[in-house]
Amino acid sequence: MKILVIGAAGRTGRHVVAQGIERGHEITASARHPDQLRDLPGAVGVHHGDAHDLDAVRKAVQGQDAVIAAVGGSLIASTLITAMRESGVTRLVMTSSRSVPATRPRLAVTLAWLFLRAVYVDLARAEGMLQVSGLDWTIARGTMLNDKPPAGRVHIDFEADATGGAMQLSRADYAMALLDTVEDPDLIGKALGICGPR
Ligand SMILES: NC(=O)c1ccc[n+]([C@@H]2O[C@H](COP(=O)([O-])OP(=O)(O)OC[C@H]3O[C@@H](n4cnc5c(N)ncnc54)[C@H](OP(=O)(O)O)[C@@H]3O)[C@@H](O)[C@H]2O)c1
């Protein structure tokens, strides 16, 4: 597949780019600052631009089969939805957080919302926009990310609370799940809780 990765220079985005190339996808890495993409694997297509900039995103989505947004947010959702509708590119997998819909474990969720309310409110807005976008969307809600080595497997939960797996998830495993998701048409129109394996 031809896949555009938004937030490609981020800690999860870099894994998506590297693993996507390993899987044989034609990856275009998009990041705000050209310097951030210099050390990404050579075969990759590169796009410089802010994901809030509609004209930049319009250019980036042209000719793609799918987009993975390895960074979440309502402004990014807004530009992607507009640009993708215009260009006829329909498949979009966007990162979000398990904390957005979660109610358990109660103390952890309460503390997370206390400190990150604005982030979660914005991600909730982004999720809502995707759900009415008419695109072939999947929302990939990660648990708490870390940079530990990959386990090579994740726990995916379709319930809002996503309590079936571990609350810690390596970014490499999150990236693997994002690529598995973009390749799987059965996951279109679904919100996944992506946890570490137990
Ligand atoms: N961190 C967690 O524990 C956690 C938990 C659950 C879910 N998530 C989800 O996972 C995503 C990735 O997390 P992460 O920790 O791997 O992220 P990260 O390392 O902070 O990377 C985010 C990347 O997105 C880029 N970015 C931000 N705004 C942008 C814009 N307007 N246009 C283009 N690029 C932009 C940043 O670039 P700059 O360097 O230019 O700012 C950065 O390279 C998060 O966005 C969130 O949706 C995270």
Side-chain angles (χ1 to χ4, degrees):
M1 293 170 83
K2 290 184 179 175
I3 304 173
L4 172 68
V5 181
I6 301 285
R11 288 166 291 177
T12 299
R14 287 172 177 276
H15 287 293
V16 175
V17 171
Q19 293 180 29
I21 289 167
E22 273 174 29
R23 291 185 189 206
H25 293 301
E26 205 174 302
I27 301 287
T28 299
S30 178
R32 286 196 270 215
H33 309 293
D35 288 358
Q36 295 172 319
L37 296 172
R38 281 214 181 106
D39 57 343
L40 285 175
V44 89
V46 162
H47 174 264
H48 305 141
D50 193 315
H52 294 168
D53 176 349
L54 181 56
D55 284 337
V57 175
R58 277 186 177 122
K59 285 180 193 135
V61 300
Q62 285 300 326
Q64 304 290 340
D65 297 317
V67 178
I68 296 177
V71 53
S74 63
L75 257 175
I76 293 173
S78 165
T79 52
L80 278 173
I81 289 166
T82 302
M84 291 176 72
R85 277 182 181 153
E86 286 174 5
S87 64
V89 179
T90 60
R91 185 73 177 109
L92 173 59
V93 175
M94 179 172 268
T95 56
S96 183
S97 170
R98 174 198 176 270
S99 295
V100 169
T103 60
R104 291 177 290 144
R106 187 175 290 214
L107 180 60
V109 171
T110 303
L111 286 175
W113 269 86
L114 192 63
F115 292 108
L116 293 168
R117 167 171 289 278
V119 173
Y120 296 149
V121 166
D122 188 60
L123 285 173
R125 190 176 296 137
E127 289 195 6
M129 292 163 73
L130 249 60
Q131 285 163 353
V132 296
S133 66
L135 296 176
D136 294 331
W137 56 269
T138 306
I139 294 162
R141 296 173 180 145
T143 51
M144 200 179 297
L145 302 181
N146 63 47
D147 292 312
K148 291 184 179 165
R153 61 204 168 86
V154 295
H155 172 86
I156 291 191
D157 210 318
F158 294 96
E159 287 174 29
D161 271 322
T163 49
M167 288 300 110
Q168 293 274 337
L169 172 66
S170 95
R171 288 184 171 87
D173 287 332
Y174 193 24
M176 175 191 74
L178 294 171
L179 285 160
D180 289 345
T181 300
V182 84
E183 292 168 2
D184 186 351
D186 288 344
L187 295 177
I188 289 170
K190 294 186 176 154
L192 318 176
I194 301 176
C195 312
R198 284 242 192 253

